[in-house]
Amino acid sequence: MISDVETILSSGVRLTAPLAFAACGEYLAERAGTLNISVEAMMLGAAFGSIATASATGSATTGLLAGVLIGVVIGWIHGNLSHRAEINTFVVGLVLNALALGLTSYLITTSTFEGHQVWQVSIPVLRDIPLIGQPFFVERWPVYLLLVLIPLTWWLVERSRWGLELRAVGENPQAADVTGIRVNKRRRQALLWCGALAGLGGAYLAVGEVGSFNQNMTAGRGYIVIAAVIFGAWRLGRTLLGCLVFGLADAMRLALPALGITLNSQLLVAAPYLLALLAMLVFSTQHREPRALGQPFERRST
Amino acid sequence: MIARLTTVVGWRVAAATAAGVVVALALSALLIAATGGSPSGALEALYRGSVADQTAWTSTLLFTAPLLLVAVGACVSARSGYFNIGQEGQVLIGALAGAWVALRLAVAGPILLILTLAFAALAAGAWAGLSALMHRLRGVNVVVSTLLMTFLAQQLVAFAVNQSWFLQESRVGDAVASPQSNQVPVGARLTSFGEYPNLQLNLGLFIAIAAAVLIAVAMARTRWGFRLTMLGLNPVTAKHAGVRVAALGGLALAISGAFAGLAGAVLLTSPVGTNRLQPGMSINIGWDGLLVALVARNRPLLAMPVALFFGVLRSGGGFLAATGVPSFLVDVVKSLLVLAFVAPPVVVSLWRRRSVPEGVPA
């Protein structure tokens, strides 16, 4: 029984980590007013790029960095198309998602890559704690980056001057513009941060957890990340809690058949999306969501 | 944005689009060459699989019909500003409802087909309408809810075809039932006309063309269409002008869902698929239909040639796989072409705006 819980918790943490990285980025982008659906493209592109680079250089860590870079590039493209050229941001996201899925699927069928994985860190003493020792203190090293990146994201959004401007841009772009903040520039910057973190999440999936790339390996995780931010009502702590809930639900779905428990698997797959919708209905999130979320900003000449 | 697009000088946009298409195709050719394939061979396969002969045309037109239906619906919701991106799920809901009617109702042929199509449209319209309702009652973001509900629809279909009491294929003897429905009866299938040796014109295509014309006329010539456009351009003005914003926007969402559902029923009842409800049967028609509307700049009549073009890519893509080039390449080409078509007007207008001196109204 204890070992079953430990197994589920262990795989739950591993399934949560990529979501948590990307959710930090998506949270910041949405606070700036961009409902970024290309997070799926960022994760998938980074997953592919990290394995391709790791295979070429023989270093999984270089692969991880390449994944981050690819996420940033996709964020840069998205930002320029939706906040410079002012093409509808959802449309840009859809096209980028389709492009990433097509490109990675095409390239993986025409080339072969060696598998690589970043090394595992096992923290002495702590790893011997029953129940939580193995799940939390024996992990591939990028997971421990979360300990830095989560507080950093929080500080950036809630405490830095840049974050204050970012939130202003997400709440009331017209007012922000009047005070001299360059609205669309801030939004593009937020997308770069989002790309870096979503890229890290995708790369972790490939060179951390699995060690190789499979076609469409993110399988909608980017959309779950969006659901997590909604579930978290645009607060970082609750967003990460949402990621953990979704990660654990995923772990349960994989583990339950082995334990002889039959729960409807379609319901478990649908759970994150259902929970996010219910959260929006119950908590009446319109008072919490950034008021300019998803709205383009165009400077009026009048 | 619509207003600004029309003021942009036409030839600049045309030139930029042509340049964009050339770049997109060059990038694609480069990609094929870099991975050891032959660009000209791939192009020939695309051609042969889509428009080279009557069999190819048949397949192209079969894909065109559902794409056009989704696109027509997407035009309506995008015009109203109530932006629907859940077509992929609405296609599935339409197919689910259609399959249920076609397999459960015992009525004569043509009536069964009409009921199948009608019920698919109604169910998907109601599904999309739920997003409108959530927006009205609790202010839930429409884009988010339509997106999330796509994943619910996928699981709902997977559930339906895994339950023997619902829509799972019935067992014959000891055969294991698969996660799919039985074939819909022949009476509920869309017929083809015109037995030219190999060319079949499917009824679905005529339904789609009729829908495009109907919606184009309604948007351009009726009071409803005028209000819809006004709502999309400026909701505040529309409200002051007496438009019941929530009702009109909700209706636009429901209509876009209904057309997506109709596309699902067309996929179910025409020879493009297996005539069974299957979890993967929407084959990204919903996402692609949305892109068709985008390239057509939300004009239903313009969506007709664009849908045909997307149909060509799909049908040719299937053929491409036979030559050894992975058909995923088509998704890459398609996405690059969409960018080539979408970016130029805005880029040109941006460039023009920059070239106007500060302080002078553009």
Side-chain angles (χ1 to χ4, degrees), chain A residues 127-190:
Chain A
R127 69 175 172 226
D128 298 325
I129 303 173
L131 208 60
I132 61 164
Q134 293 292 319
F136 287 98
F137 301 109
V138 183
E139 290 295 339
R140 311 235 159 235
W141 70 262
V143 173
Y144 298 104
L145 277 180
L146 279 171
L147 297 177
V148 183
L149 289 171
I150 292 170
L152 179 62
T153 302
W154 180 84
W155 180 84
L156 275 175
V157 173
E158 299 290 345
R159 287 290 178 270
S160 73
R161 184 186 166 80
W162 183 72
L164 183 70
E165 294 184 0
L166 212 63
R167 282 181 285 142
V169 162
E171 291 293 335
N172 193 338
Q174 276 74 26
D177 181 58
V178 169
T179 63
I181 300 169
R182 292 181 59 189
V183 173
N184 286 325
K185 189 178 176 186
R186 289 287 173 279
R187 287 183 171 174
R188 290 200 300 274
Q189 289 168 342

Side-chain angles (χ1 to χ4, degrees), chain B residues 12 17 59 231 245-246 248 269 272 309 351:
Chain B
R12 282 208 181 95
T17 308
S59 144
L231 174 62
V245 170
L248 190 65
T269 58
V272 67
F309 178 64
W351 179 75

Side-chain angles (χ1 to χ4, degrees), chain A residues 35 84-86 91 94 99 102-103 105-106 109-110 223 230 264 266 269 273 280-282 284 286 298, chain B residues 1 4 31-32 35 138 140 143-144 149 151 155 159 162 287 290 294 326 328 332 335 342 346 350 354:
Chain A
L35 211 170
R84 207 191 275 274
E86 291 172 16
V91 166
L94 287 181
L99 187 61
L103 198 57
S105 302
Y106 174 75
T109 43
T110 53
Y223 298 111
I230 295 162
N264 188 296
Q266 282 92 33
V269 176
Y273 309 108
M280 291 181 87
L281 280 172
V282 174
S284 193
Q286 74 263 44
E298 192 186 347
Chain B
M1 198 169 95
R4 210 182 67 221
L31 189 65
I32 302 173
T35 49
R138 307 290 290 177
V140 175
V143 175
V144 171
M149 282 175 73
F151 302 103
Q155 294 310 312
F159 175 77
N162 270 303
W287 299 122
L290 196 53
L294 168 73
F328 299 116
V332 180
S335 316
V342 171
V346 265
L350 188 75
R354 284 236 175 110

